[in-house]
Amino acid sequence: MRVHTVVEEADARYITNSGMLMQLKLLSEAMYQGYHALDTLTFQLHDDEEDSTNCMVSDSSISLCSATRFKRQRTVLASAKKDKVAALDNLETAVANISEFVALLCGCDERLSRRPYDAYLYIGNFMFGRHAEKQKLLNFLLQQNPSDDLAPPPVLPIIGALGVGKKTLVAHVCADERVRCKFASILHLNGENLLNIVDHEKAMLGMPSLVVVEFVSDVDDMKWNEFYSFVTRTASTRSKVIIISKLGTLARFGSVRPIFLDALSYEELWYLFKNLAFGSADPAEHPRLVHIAEGFAKEFHQGGSLVTANAFADVLRSNLNAQFWLSILNKCRKVMEKNLFAYGQLPNLLFDQGREVDITDFVSSPAINPIRILPCTTSRALAKTELPKVAFGELLLDPSVRPKGEFRLLTWESRLPPYTSFIHLVPNSTQDLPQGHSLSGRKRHIVPF
């Protein structure tokens, strides 16, 4: 609670000190590790108490059940104790100089507002995690440019895998009042139509502008130089450019050190997913569901994404039933296994490469045609706006809602304005998946839940 209080307070302030940003990152990591260790200990011990109650069925079963429970309890307690000790050590290390950090924090300017914005990294109405990264981006946008009138606008690349939260981070920081007051216009461009920036010449002419460009694929240096020269000539010297991409090669266009967004740690993803899946319900009242939710978190951390976690959380939150949750988890594991066996990679990596992902096992009917989805960022998926649209949650609960032929699959839609949608294309396919093959003799092991 002490660390959470400090992290939340730091998140509301404008920090420019690089050492403080490093310490903030360590504090937040230790905080999520601590929450996970507490959950592991609390709910595993509660499960042992249930086992003890269930064992008291008949005298003949008591001795066998007690022996099994005792052996399992020793394993659980040993593992939980190890995690707890490690998390406690990390917390103690993180808070060793927390008084100095808090004192320095008091000297930092407080933000004007903490408005919610459209994103899938929100708990309540506030962005989850990415504390240090938010501060680095805010520093880039608010710091003064070189006084040289001929100096080109600085360029910051933000690099990370598909669905890791790059656009969410930029949207959140751009919603800050200080950023909005600094720039007369904030333009969002698609890298495939980079030179369309000429259409915004009037809005940019002589004014401080922020240009955010999202690249799905690489761009040649000549086209980039033409774009960058236009921004330099048109906008004022207080303008800035942000590049968003999964391609590390685009960092070559940056004039400052890039921000690299890694996937959330397992402890962070678990904390986020647990809060999303239970909503206003108290997880302590549903210990069995907590175990199943951790199974989802492990699958999503290995082969899913933040959008996937939100999509499933929406479905699970509507029905707090252990049998229902377990059936969905089993389907999720089958989908992970099928894509790994057929294509040699998990869904998140397939999406990252712009390849199809097979989700047929999410539909219970064995006679159903294969359902394969294309990433929502592919040009083929973006061009099919005339096709019927079905929500993923509806298809998961009732396969009969599937339209004939091609359709668009609404994986998830943000609950906050402007309600951004993540839509995938489901092509019309009746061919079976290619036969799988052994991957260097290795097979991903799935432990039955």
Side-chain angles (χ1 to χ4, degrees):
M1 289 179 65
R2 286 181 61 198
V3 174
H4 197 152
T5 301
V6 173
V7 169
E8 187 172 341
E9 182 62 26
D11 202 40
R13 295 178 180 267
Y14 175 36
I15 303 174
T16 58
N17 186 291
S18 60
M20 290 183 68
L21 290 177
M22 186 178 297
Q23 191 169 357
L24 175 60
K25 187 173 182 64
L26 292 174
L27 282 171
S28 62
E29 289 174 352
M31 176 183 71
Y32 294 121
Q33 290 171 3
Y35 276 126
H36 180 257
L38 284 175
D39 283 344
T40 300
L41 185 64
T42 301
F43 292 108
Q44 284 185 333
L45 287 177
H46 189 284
D47 196 49
D48 282 334
E49 292 177 3
E50 286 190 345
D51 286 349
S52 178
T53 302
N54 294 335
C55 281
M56 298 176 64
V57 177
S58 65
D59 294 338
S60 60
S61 64
I62 289 179
S63 58
L64 177 60
C65 194
S66 297
T68 303
R69 176 168 46 85
F70 179 70
K71 186 181 296 184
R72 178 170 177 266
Q73 189 176 40
R74 283 192 305 177
T75 303
V76 167
L77 287 175
S79 176
K81 184 178 180 180
K82 183 179 179 181
D83 290 343
K84 182 181 178 183
V85 170
L88 183 58
D89 288 343
N90 289 339
L91 279 171
E92 289 177 340
T93 301
V95 302
N97 298 313
I98 201 170
S99 298
E100 181 184 64
F101 180 81
V102 172
L104 292 171
L105 195 63
C106 292
C108 297
D109 293 334
E110 191 168 357
R111 295 190 189 180
L112 295 179
S113 67
R114 296 182 63 187
R115 304 191 307 180
Y117 195 79
D118 169 55
Y120 49 84
L121 273 174
Y122 276 79
I123 291 181
N125 283 336
F126 296 102
M127 184 176 178
F128 173 80
R130 304 298 190 196
H131 307 287
E133 291 83 355
K134 284 184 286 186
Q135 293 288 347
K136 290 179 181 178
L137 179 54
L138 191 64
N139 290 342
F140 168 76
L141 294 176
L142 296 185
Q143 68 185 1
Q144 296 296 324
N145 289 359
S147 56
D148 186 357
D149 291 340
L150 299 178
V155 181
L156 169 66
I158 300 178
I159 309 297
L162 185 68
V164 80
K166 302 181 293 295
K167 288 187 291 185
T168 296
L169 175 65
V170 172
H172 179 80
V173 174
C174 286
D176 190 286
E177 287 295 338
R178 293 186 178 187
V179 174
R180 290 187 171 276
C181 291
K182 186 177 178 66
F183 298 101
S185 61
I186 300 178
L187 306 177
H188 296 267
L189 299 178
N190 184 336
E192 294 183 359
N193 302 308
L194 190 61
L195 299 183
N196 283 354
I197 192 171
V198 298
D199 297 336
H200 304 280
E201 183 174 5
K202 289 183 179 180
M204 297 175 59
L205 193 59
M207 303 297 291
S209 303
L210 172 60
V211 183
V212 181
V213 189
E214 181 184 4
F215 289 97
V216 176
S217 57
D218 204 351
V219 61
D220 62 75
D221 291 12
M222 185 178 298
K223 183 178 291 187
W224 168 262
N225 290 334
E226 187 176 350
F227 158 81
Y228 193 47
S229 298
F230 176 84
V231 176
T232 304
R233 294 193 314 268
T234 307
S236 78
T237 56
R238 291 181 293 166
S239 299
K240 298 178 188 289
V241 178
I242 295 175
I243 292 174
I244 299 175
S245 181
K246 66 178 183 179
L247 303 174
T249 56
L250 291 175
R252 69 184 186 274
F253 296 133
S255 61
V256 300
R257 181 176 297 179
I259 294 177
F260 292 99
L261 287 187
D262 297 323
L264 294 181
S265 68
Y266 172 70
E267 291 81 7
E268 288 178 296
L269 181 61
W270 161 241
Y271 185 90
L272 174 64
F273 182 74
K274 184 185 70 171
N275 280 274
L276 292 174
F278 284 95
S280 60
D282 183 2
E285 297 180 0
H286 306 276
R288 176 60 174 160
L289 294 183
V290 173
H291 285 295
I292 302 174
E294 189 155 14
F296 278 105
K298 290 176 180 177
E299 294 296 323
F300 298 148
H301 185 254
Q302 186 171 12
S305 69
L306 295 171
V307 175
T308 306
N310 271 274
F312 277 88
D314 279 354
V315 175
L316 299 176
R317 191 169 54 247
S318 64
N319 186 355
L320 300 180
N321 177 274
Q323 186 175 358
F324 173 73
W325 281 35
L326 191 55
S327 68
I328 301 297
L329 176 59
N330 288 333
K331 292 179 180 180
C332 182
R333 286 172 168 165
K334 288 179 181 178
V335 168
M336 297 284 186
E337 276 290 292
K338 189 169 188 177
N339 284 278
L340 182 62
F341 184 70
Y343 300 120
Q345 290 180 327
L346 291 167
N348 60 336
L349 294 178
L350 292 172
F351 273 144
D352 203 37
Q353 298 166 7
R355 298 170 62 187
E356 289 183 343
V357 171
D358 187 284
I359 64 166
T360 310
D361 286 302
F362 282 134
V363 181
S364 57
S365 173
I368 197 75
N369 289 333
I371 299 180
R372 302 170 196 157
I373 59 177
L374 286 170
C376 54
T377 53
T378 61
S379 57
R380 184 181 173 193
L382 294 172
K384 299 283 187 173
T385 55
E386 77 284 355
L387 294 176
K389 182 172 64 177
V390 176
F392 172 73
E394 296 176 355
L395 184 66
L396 189 63
L397 298 176
D398 182 11
S400 66
V401 302
R402 178 187 181 181
K404 294 182 179 180
E406 291 186 324
F407 66 96
R408 293 177 300 152
L409 185 67
L410 174 61
T411 305
W412 184 73
E413 184 178 51
S414 170
R415 293 178 294 276
L416 296 174
Y419 308 108
T420 298
S421 300
F422 296 86
I423 301 177
H424 298 80
L425 173 66
V426 180
N428 187 13
S429 175
T430 58
Q431 301 297 319
D432 291 332
L433 282 171
Q435 292 297 318
H437 56 277
S438 173
L439 300 176
S440 303
R442 294 177 296 174
K443 184 177 180 181
R444 180 168 172 257
H445 181 59
I446 293 290
V447 179
F449 202 85

